Amino acid sequence: MRLTALNERAEMIGLKQGQGVAEAKAICPDLDVVEEDPVADRKLLEAIADWCDRYTPLVAIDGKDGLFLDITGCAHLFGGEEALLEDILIRISRLGFDVRGAISSAPGLSWAVARFDESRIVPPEAMEEALAPLPVACLRLGEEIVAALQKMGLKQVGDLLAAPRAPLARRFGAQLMLRLDQAVGLVEEPISPRRPVAQLSAERRLAEPVQAEEDILQLARQLAETLKPRLEARGVGGRSFELLLFRVDGAVFRIAAGASQPLREPNRIASLFTERFGAIHDDLDVGYGFEIIRLNVLQHAPFDAMQGDFVGEDRQEGSLAAFVDRVAARLGPDCLQGFELRQSHIPERAVRPLPAMAILASKRRTGKEDAGHHGFFRGERPLRLFRMPELVETIAAEVPDGPPRQFRWRRVMHRVSRAEGPERLSAEWWVEEKEEPARDYFQVEDEEGHRFWLFRKGLYGRGGTTPDWYMHGVFA
């Protein structure tokens, strides 16, 4: 067992990361050791990253204890880079963390200064000057390369900057040159945000925190009104929305809501979050209130503004979409489902369930003429089709191709009064791993008027065994 992290007092005693626990306790018998929890540490770092979204949506996680923030175009909103850096460091320190940070034109240089120097801003013209006195470990190299460089007397980055590049590349590989060029800004280093960047966003910073659900929804509606002109300018409507609530103690809540059709109307957008609040009411801890509220449009789609006809067909379609959006927002996007046709004549493979929101969105995108492929269809199949056919016991079936006269299903005996069929469906030999017998389907009605969909798997007099009968669905 070894030490993986130390507080300031442990560092003052002389303990080091990687030191054995037994040796550390010999130096300090009163040492308090807590077992490392990587999962909890990761959740904590992600929570801090969520908190940093108040400065920029481009936040990336760096290792176990670092964050990259791309503040391009954001610094002026906080009074400049110096004010922004000071605000971040003070606020995170108040949350109980030891934090250091740096701002520069290169992520590699910011990483090096934040970890091996004091918190400060490095202007573009002083990048090499700031990097030169730092140890070579600041270049994010492997331990073996760092040890080899130090063994050769190249202990600071300035030693590498003054040395010929070709011998260094031959001796230590291209990775050393790449990290060096990234640190001085000669090679761009992209930052991958941990969350998708919003297409559009509107934010409200409050002088007094809000706690009431009605106030939060009213602010969400106001933010939606702010986004409406920008959506109209692009000719689009929002399909996926996200409401961010920044609590005064640093916690961040993300509430997502989607729509089956592109939306611009603020009332419709606010109604989505009204349903979401109803579903997560017990899980939303307002604490001392929220100080920042932000509404993001994560996805948008072309918005076709059409006037409804005199019959009201468009109004009916709009009301169905509004109903689906409300139910999906409260109970989840998969609570309402339709079916998508697939290229298979085997009943259990011919359709697959699809969320109703996706069906309406596809219908709007492809037009009504393609509604048969993605839609709520009705055919000659039973109203309820079982996921897996259920074995039934038949009595006195007509041989060779007739329906049964009686059958027992789920411990109940049924006498057949009418029957239609057979409808023969052959196995899909290009899909099946082994040869499957054909199926003969029958629509049968018992003496009480119940209608069933039965099939016989196999044929009489084939293979030396009696074929089995299965129940695959019911019509009513």
Side-chain angles (χ1 to χ4, degrees):
M1 297 180 63
R2 296 187 176 275
L3 302 179
T4 58
L6 304 169
N7 61 5
E8 294 181 357
R9 186 174 179 183
E11 291 177 348
M12 293 175 59
I13 296 175
L15 303 182
K16 298 180 180 180
Q17 291 190 17
Q19 190 174 20
V21 173
E23 180 183 355
K25 287 189 174 181
I27 298 175
C28 179
D30 298 333
L31 183 65
D32 185 13
V33 180
V34 179
E35 186 176 356
E36 183 183 23
D37 189 348
V39 176
D41 292 343
R42 181 73 176 187
K43 290 182 178 179
L44 175 62
L45 188 60
E46 290 179 350
I48 300 176
D50 282 339
W51 180 88
C52 289
D53 278 354
R54 66 184 61 214
Y55 298 103
T56 172
L58 303 177
V59 181
I61 292 180
D62 174 51
K64 296 181 178 181
D65 58 355
L67 296 173
F68 275 123
L69 278 68
D70 188 346
I71 60 171
T72 305
C74 302
H76 70 282
L77 300 175
F78 303 90
E81 293 181 350
E82 293 184 2
L84 187 149
L85 180 60
E86 182 180 2
D87 187 68
I88 292 178
L89 299 181
I90 292 177
R91 285 175 173 264
I92 296 183
S93 298
R94 290 175 179 174
L95 295 176
F97 298 100
D98 181 16
V99 58
R100 287 182 293 180
I103 296 179
S104 72
S105 301
L109 179 58
S110 298
W111 190 94
V113 174
R115 294 177 181 270
F116 293 89
D117 202 348
E118 59 183 9
S119 299
R120 60 194 178 100
I121 299 175
V122 180
E125 62 275 8
M127 297 178 65
E128 291 191 7
E129 180 182 352
L131 190 64
L134 301 182
V136 292
C138 75
L139 295 178
R140 297 173 293 169
L141 301 169
E143 295 181 359
E144 297 181 358
I145 298 179
V146 172
L149 290 171
Q150 293 176 347
K151 188 176 181 180
M152 293 185 59
L154 303 174
K155 298 182 179 181
Q156 296 179 335
V157 180
D159 300 332
L160 299 177
L161 295 174
R165 295 175 60 91
L168 290 176
R170 288 195 300 268
R171 181 68 180 271
F172 301 101
Q175 183 69 13
L176 173 61
M177 296 294 99
L178 175 63
R179 290 301 191 188
L180 188 61
D181 290 341
Q182 288 177 342
V184 296
L186 296 178
V187 175
E188 292 187 3
E189 182 179 359
I191 294 178
S192 299
R194 53 189 292 268
R195 293 186 177 275
V197 181
Q199 304 289 339
L200 292 171
S201 180
E203 181 179 287
R204 180 70 59 86
R205 294 177 179 266
L206 307 174
E208 293 291 337
V210 295
Q211 294 179 312
E213 181 177 315
E214 295 78 8
D215 296 336
I216 297 174
L217 292 174
Q218 180 63 23
L219 289 171
R221 185 186 181 283
Q222 294 177 6
L223 293 175
E225 291 178 350
T226 304
L227 290 175
K228 183 178 180 181
R230 297 160 65 182
L231 291 170
E232 292 175 346
R234 297 190 179 192
V236 298
R239 282 287 314 279
S240 178
F241 301 90
E242 183 183 47
L243 187 65
L244 272 70
L245 306 176
F246 294 83
R247 206 167 63 184
V248 293
D249 62 350
V252 181
F253 293 87
R254 297 177 179 270
I255 304 174
S260 59
Q261 296 182 346
L263 298 181
R264 290 179 184 170
E265 183 59 35
N267 291 330
R268 286 282 305 277
I269 297 174
S271 66
L272 297 179
F273 292 103
T274 302
E275 300 297 336
R276 290 295 298 139
F277 272 96
I280 65 172
H281 179 76
D282 296 335
D283 298 330
L284 184 64
D285 183 9
V286 299
Y288 291 103
F290 302 103
E291 60 180 351
I292 301 176
I293 297 180
R294 180 186 301 164
L295 179 61
N296 292 333
V297 179
L298 299 181
Q299 296 179 0
H300 57 59
F303 186 91
D304 298 328
M306 299 179 62
Q307 180 179 355
D309 56 15
F310 293 104
V311 181
E313 180 179 352
D314 290 343
R315 292 196 298 272
Q316 294 178 0
E317 184 176 348
S319 62
L320 174 61
F323 170 76
V324 171
D325 293 344
R326 290 183 59 188
V327 176
R330 178 177 287 270
L331 302 178
D334 297 331
C335 63
L336 295 177
Q337 293 188 339
F339 296 95
E340 178 189 35
L341 298 179
R342 304 181 70 184
Q343 294 184 357
S344 176
H345 59 268
I346 303 299
E348 61 266 29
R349 298 176 183 171
V351 296
R352 68 171 181 177
L354 204 65
M357 294 180 62
I359 293 176
L360 293 176
S362 178
K363 183 178 179 181
R364 180 182 178 88
R365 183 174 62 253
T366 59
K368 295 183 179 181
E369 65 277 2
D370 194 36
H373 184 68
H374 295 83
F376 305 94
F377 64 91
R378 294 175 180 173
E380 298 181 357
R381 294 299 183 245
L383 182 65
R384 180 185 179 190
L385 185 70
F386 299 147
R387 186 180 299 273
M388 295 297 297
E390 300 180 5
L391 185 65
V392 299
E393 179 185 354
T394 60
I395 300 175
E398 298 180 7
V399 179
D401 296 327
R405 297 178 181 176
Q406 300 181 42
F407 65 90
R408 179 181 284 109
W409 175 54
R410 295 182 178 179
R411 300 182 181 181
V412 177
M413 183 65 71
H414 300 269
R415 294 180 180 273
V416 178
S417 60
R418 296 181 180 85
E420 295 182 3
E423 176 189 0
R424 180 162 296 177
L425 299 180
S426 300
E428 297 177 338
W429 54 267
W430 58 93
V431 175
E432 303 290 349
E433 296 181 357
K434 61 179 181 179
E435 185 177 358
E436 293 287 339
R439 301 178 182 180
D440 283 351
Y441 279 86
F442 294 86
Q443 299 181 28
V444 301
E445 181 178 337
D446 65 4
E447 295 178 346
E448 297 181 0
H450 300 142
R451 300 181 63 215
F452 307 95
W453 206 38
L454 300 173
F455 74 87
R456 182 185 63 242
K457 189 174 184 180
L459 303 174
Y460 287 102
R462 303 282 183 89
T465 59
T466 302
D468 294 325
W469 287 83
Y470 293 88
M471 177 72 67
H472 206 163
V474 293
F475 287 90

